[in-house]
């Protein structure tokens, strides 16, 4: 069966510090991968999605970046965090072909607080 | 991307009553319509979905209806229970999802 992991689970970082969040998927190959951010009490904002290694599409221009160094690894980074980067970061995957389902499977999330 | 509007943003119902949440979209080529539930502090999970070749799908107390002409699909929860309290998200069709703003459903015992 497929599983998705995210770490760390929680993170407190000062403004201006760098960020690296990691997401890995097991039990599937060639998945679509996504990064979302959710501010407290708000909706899901799509940040990045990837259809393959090295292929990243950005939905929102900001101080964040994403990379996909391996098929089942997705990394979210920042060189300098802003207060507004605080939130709940969710990684997700879906079957690329869509023949089975377009369902997105979410990881457990990382709660980031920028102080 | 897909333009999605979800209403209402908050909904409070008495236990046992029904709840309806509506999502409108703009892409007439869409063919897959899912609903996700997110409990407090947890990850969103798919609860029901429908493809464009059917107009309604039921799974126990939840159902989704689709009106392709009007470009909207709705989530129906009957006999609501306190554990139905959560945020519900619709998502537009296909694999690159931009979620609706969410509906916070509160079921009062």
């Amino acid at each position: 069966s497929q599983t998705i992991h995210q770490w760390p689970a929680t993170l407190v970082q000062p403004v201006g510090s760098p960020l690296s969040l990691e997401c890995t998927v097991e039990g599937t190959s060639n998945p679509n991968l996504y990064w979302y951010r959710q501010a407290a009490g708000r909706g899901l904002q799509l940040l990045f999605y990837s259809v393959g290694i090295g292929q990243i599409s950005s939905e929102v221009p900001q101080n964040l970046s994403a990379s996909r160094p391996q098929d089942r690894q997705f990394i979210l980074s920042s060189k300098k965090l802003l207060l507004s980067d605080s939130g709940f970061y969710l990684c997700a995957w879906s079957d690329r072909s869509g023949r089975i389902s377009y369902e997105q499977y979410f990881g457990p999330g990382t709660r980031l607080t920028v102080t | 991307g897909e333009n999605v509007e979800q209403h209402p943003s908050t909904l409070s119902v008495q236990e046992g009553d029904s709840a309806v949440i509506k999502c409108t979209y703009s892409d007439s080529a869409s063919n897959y319509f899912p609903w996700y539930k997110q409990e407090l502090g947890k990850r969103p999970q798919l609860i029901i979905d429908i493809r464009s070749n059917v107009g309604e799908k039921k799974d126990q107390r939840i159902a989704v209806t689709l009106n392709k002409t009007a470009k909207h699909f709705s989530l129906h929860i009957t006999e609501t229970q306190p554990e139905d309290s959560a945020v519900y998200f619709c998502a537009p069709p296909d694999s690159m999802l931009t979620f609706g703003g969410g509906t916070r459903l509160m079921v009062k015992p």
Side-chain angles (χ1 to χ4, degrees), chain B:
Chain B
E2 175 70 52
N3 187 26
V4 178
E5 292 187 3
Q6 185 175 338
H7 298 281
S9 57
T10 60
L11 180 59
S12 181
V13 300
Q14 205 67 38
E15 182 177 358
D17 289 349
S18 295
V20 181
I21 304 169
K22 184 176 177 179
C23 185
T24 60
Y25 61 95
S26 59
D27 184 358
S28 59
S30 307
N31 59 19
Y32 172 72
F33 306 87
W35 284 97
Y36 289 76
K37 176 183 180 182
Q38 186 181 24
E39 297 178 358
L40 186 64
K42 297 187 177 180
R43 71 189 85 181
Q45 290 188 299
L46 181 76
I47 54 171
I48 195 166
D49 56 16
I50 193 171
R51 295 198 181 248
S52 60
N53 57 345
V54 297
E56 182 177 8
K57 182 178 178 181
K58 288 184 179 180
D59 182 3
Q60 298 182 5
R61 296 187 297 105
I62 61 173
V64 55
T65 59
L66 172 63
N67 185 328
K68 290 208 75 177
T69 302
K71 296 183 186 178
H72 66 74
F73 59 109
S74 299
L75 176 70
H76 304 255
I77 306 174
T78 58
E79 301 173 34
T80 54
Q81 301 170 4
E83 54 263 38
D84 295 328
S85 296
V87 179
Y88 293 82
F89 294 98
C90 66
D94 304 318
S95 59
M96 302 303 173
L97 302 185
T98 300
F99 287 81
T103 297
R104 183 173 299 279
L105 174 64
M106 294 169 284
V107 180
K108 295 179 286 186

Side-chain angles (χ1 to χ4, degrees), chain A residues 20-75:
Chain A
S20 181
L21 303 181
E22 189 164 345
C23 171
T24 58
V25 181
E26 297 176 355
T28 188
S29 58
N30 302 314
N32 290 326
L33 294 172
Y34 313 82
W35 277 111
Y36 291 89
R37 177 170 63 198
Q38 187 174 36
R42 306 289 295 276
L44 292 165
Q45 179 187 30
L46 179 63
L47 301 175
F48 301 94
Y49 66 89
S50 171
V51 299
I53 296 174
Q55 300 179 61
I56 309 294
S57 295
S58 174
E59 290 292 303
V60 182
Q62 55 207 333
N63 68 319
L64 300 173
S65 62
S67 61
R68 186 171 176 173
Q70 300 179 45
D71 181 49
R72 289 168 287 178
Q73 184 185 28
F74 207 21
I75 297 172

Side-chain angles (χ1 to χ4, degrees), chain A:
Chain A
S1 64
Q2 301 89 2
T3 55
I4 178 169
H5 304 278
Q6 278 186 251
W7 63 90
T10 59
L11 191 59
V12 180
Q13 291 283 98
V15 169
S17 63
L19 173 74
S20 181
L21 303 181
E22 189 164 345
C23 171
T24 58
V25 181
E26 297 176 355
T28 188
S29 58
N30 302 314
N32 290 326
L33 294 172
Y34 313 82
W35 277 111
Y36 291 89
R37 177 170 63 198
Q38 187 174 36
R42 306 289 295 276
L44 292 165
Q45 179 187 30
L46 179 63
L47 301 175
F48 301 94
Y49 66 89
S50 171
V51 299
I53 296 174
Q55 300 179 61
I56 309 294
S57 295
S58 174
E59 290 292 303
V60 182
Q62 55 207 333
N63 68 319
L64 300 173
S65 62
S67 61
R68 186 171 176 173
Q70 300 179 45
D71 181 49
R72 289 168 287 178
Q73 184 185 28
F74 207 21
I75 297 172
L76 181 70
S77 304
S78 174
K79 291 183 179 178
K80 288 185 178 182
L81 283 169
L82 306 173
L83 283 174
S84 57
D85 291 325
S86 294
F88 191 42
Y89 287 81
L90 288 156
C91 180
W93 75 272
S94 67
D95 176 61
R96 182 177 302 176
S97 69
R99 286 193 299 270
I100 300 175
S101 169
Y102 288 122
E103 178 177 357
Q104 289 205 343
Y105 301 88
F106 287 85
T110 295
R111 192 162 300 281
L112 172 66
T113 303
V114 182
T115 61

